[in-house]
Amino acid sequence: MMAVVFSFEADPAIDLIDHVVGIYADSWLDTLRRGRKVLRDNAQKSAELLLNPREAGEFPRTHRLAVAAFVAGLHGDTAIYRLYLNLLERSEQGKELSPVIENLSRQGRTLGPYGAYPAGPLSSEDLKGSGLEVSDVNVDRSLSRALEHAHFLTFHPRDASVQRLERLREAGWTDTAIVTLSQLISFLAFQIRVIHGLSVLRDVGPATGATLSESPS
């Protein structure tokens, strides 16, 4: 666990990505991030809106944090995974849910992406892979379907279809909640990639890191 416990409410000025990577004020990485202020601010606002909304509506905050920890665990990023698990444990009824999410993350971790492209030149890249069925008695049906959807979008993006959404609707998910869930999963994939890239730059140091950050993507 990190020495300083992150909280959205404790200090709104603390940037989540900076906290996870260990970026300090006036450091070279802080200067780098602030040079892309719109991207930095929007990433933080997205995290707040998706994970700590003023009104969670049909998608409870505890379930949002459970999905976040699960997705981070699937991606294998220990730092953000532990942060989201910690937030989950401190949320309402989250302490009992945290070990379940840890177990499901281990079960669901695999390679990928899997799936089939439409018949054509990319068909040679088709790859079969397993999905995940959540049957843990400590996870209600609504969250079970959300976790299965998160696993599917993480490892089977090529196979996305309207039919896949029916499983969520059958568990009581509305169209609005499904959109929010899908936005959360997509945002987490982006956030985790940013954290990974910044962590690489942090580890190689300012001289090499500055050169890498200026290279064309």
Side-chain angles (χ1 to χ4, degrees):
M1 289 285 188
M2 296 177 191
V4 179
V5 177
F6 178 85
S7 169
F8 284 106
E9 297 86 358
D11 186 351
I14 296 177
D15 182 271
L16 188 151
I17 291 177
D18 285 353
H19 176 80
V20 172
V21 179
I23 298 176
Y24 303 101
D26 300 323
S27 66
W28 74 277
L29 274 179
D30 179 54
T31 302
L32 179 69
R33 286 210 73 204
R34 292 182 185 279
R36 295 165 174 79
K37 187 176 185 301
V38 173
L39 175 61
R40 181 181 185 273
D41 291 349
N42 285 345
Q44 180 66 9
K45 289 176 183 176
S46 295
E48 292 170 355
L49 288 171
L50 290 168
L51 291 163
N52 192 45
R54 292 181 180 178
E55 296 182 7
E58 302 163 317
F59 191 0
R61 182 173 181 268
T62 297
H63 285 190
R64 292 172 187 242
L65 292 171
V67 170
F70 177 67
V71 171
L74 294 180
H75 280 271
D77 191 293
T78 303
I80 190 67
Y81 171 57
R82 289 296 172 189
L83 182 143
Y84 284 140
L85 271 181
N86 184 278
L87 288 174
L88 174 62
E89 289 169 359
R90 290 185 281 123
S91 68
E92 184 178 356
Q93 299 179 336
K95 195 170 185 62
E96 297 77 15
L97 192 54
S98 177
V100 176
I101 295 300
E102 287 191 88
N103 185 48
L104 289 173
S105 295
R106 286 192 295 268
Q107 289 181 24
R109 199 171 297 149
T110 183
L111 301 176
Y114 302 116
Y117 288 105
L122 293 177
S123 296
S124 60
E125 297 182 22
D126 291 355
L127 184 64
K128 292 183 178 180
S130 60
L132 177 70
E133 182 176 343
V134 178
S135 57
D136 195 294
V137 294
N138 293 316
V139 180
D140 65 39
R141 188 162 173 259
S142 176
L143 180 56
S144 295
R145 291 292 182 267
L147 296 173
E148 289 171 357
H149 188 64
H151 188 277
F152 178 78
L153 289 186
T154 300
F155 293 112
H156 291 264
R158 303 172 194 168
D159 295 329
S161 66
V162 174
Q163 288 73 26
R164 292 291 309 187
L165 302 182
E166 289 304 320
R167 289 175 58 80
L168 289 168
R169 293 193 180 100
E170 290 168 1
W173 284 80
T174 64
D175 288 348
T176 298
I178 290 173
V179 169
T180 303
L181 170 63
S182 299
Q183 287 176 329
L184 173 59
I185 297 165
S186 298
F187 168 72
L188 291 164
F190 156 79
Q191 183 191 60
I192 291 166
R193 283 174 172 80
V194 172
I195 288 170
H196 176 74
L198 289 171
S199 298
V200 171
L201 293 176
R202 176 202 63 204
D203 293 342
V204 299
T208 305
T211 302
L212 290 173
S213 67
E214 292 168 1
S215 301
S217 57

